[in-house]
Amino acid sequence: MNLFYEDVEVGATYTTPSHEITVADIADFCRLTRDFHPLHTDADYAKKAGFPGIIAHGLYGLALMEGLKTELKLYEETSIASLGWNDVRFKHAIVAGDTVYVEMDFTAKRESGSRPAGIITEAVRLCRADGTLLIEAEHISLIRKAP
């Protein structure tokens, strides 16, 4: 799609394809981040803590939100930089076996004074297939203006 700054419509909503969270996904994130807490590696431990099985790291969910958004290819050639994530809230645990998707809407946009680019704001939500909100956050990005 390759949205330029001018193409972004505040209020527009997008939904990504879904992704099933696997034990292997969680194990890969453990390995990459060196976070082997037993909630993420030991089903019995996680069950004793009140979960149905091992859970994904909250930061895995946040990273997955960005990855699923990227699959939409909204800014494949127009993205310059992520400027950060604000107001991240982990609402419910992500459990191995969950199928998830991302909903995002554009909530604001403004000119960037120093570049031929603009700053856009997205409300981003990771949801379970049944609609349960798992993570919500605000994402700010810098994207190119049309030539």
Side-chain angles (χ1 to χ4, degrees):
M1 198 178 271
N2 265 333
L3 296 176
F4 288 94
Y5 172 77
E6 295 84 355
D7 301 323
V8 170
E9 293 181 32
V10 173
T13 299
Y14 296 86
T15 302
T16 70
S18 60
H19 172 76
E20 182 179 349
I21 306 296
T22 66
V23 171
D25 290 339
I26 297 169
D28 286 344
F29 197 81
C30 288
R31 184 183 52 76
L32 288 171
T33 62
R34 303 179 54 81
D35 179 351
F36 293 95
H37 190 281
L39 284 172
H40 312 304
T41 61
D42 183 335
D44 289 335
Y45 182 93
K47 287 176 183 174
K48 288 177 186 167
F51 299 102
I54 65 168
I55 62 171
H57 309 69
L59 292 176
Y60 168 72
L62 186 63
L64 181 62
M65 290 166 73
E66 183 63 21
L68 289 172
K69 279 190 329 127
T70 299
E71 288 181 353
L72 292 173
K73 298 189 183 295
L74 295 177
Y75 332 106
E76 190 74 8
E77 297 172 12
T78 57
S79 176
I80 297 171
S82 171
L83 300 179
W85 290 83
N86 300 320
D87 303 319
V88 176
R89 296 292 175 263
F90 303 122
K91 299 295 204 168
H92 290 283
I94 304 167
V95 180
D98 280 350
T99 298
V100 300
Y101 63 93
V102 167
E103 292 178 341
M104 63 156 275
D105 4 279
F106 293 115
T107 59
K109 64 189 255 187
R110 65 181 171 84
E111 303 269 336
S112 172
S114 62
R115 294 180 159 212
I119 297 169
I120 59 170
T121 304
E122 308 159 340
V124 188
R125 297 167 298 282
L126 183 70
C127 301
R128 194 176 289 134
D130 66 5
T132 302
L133 178 62
L134 302 172
I135 301 174
E136 64 182 350
E138 177 183 79
H139 183 231
I140 314 293
S141 293
L142 184 67
I143 65 170
R144 297 183 199 293
K145 287 186 175 180

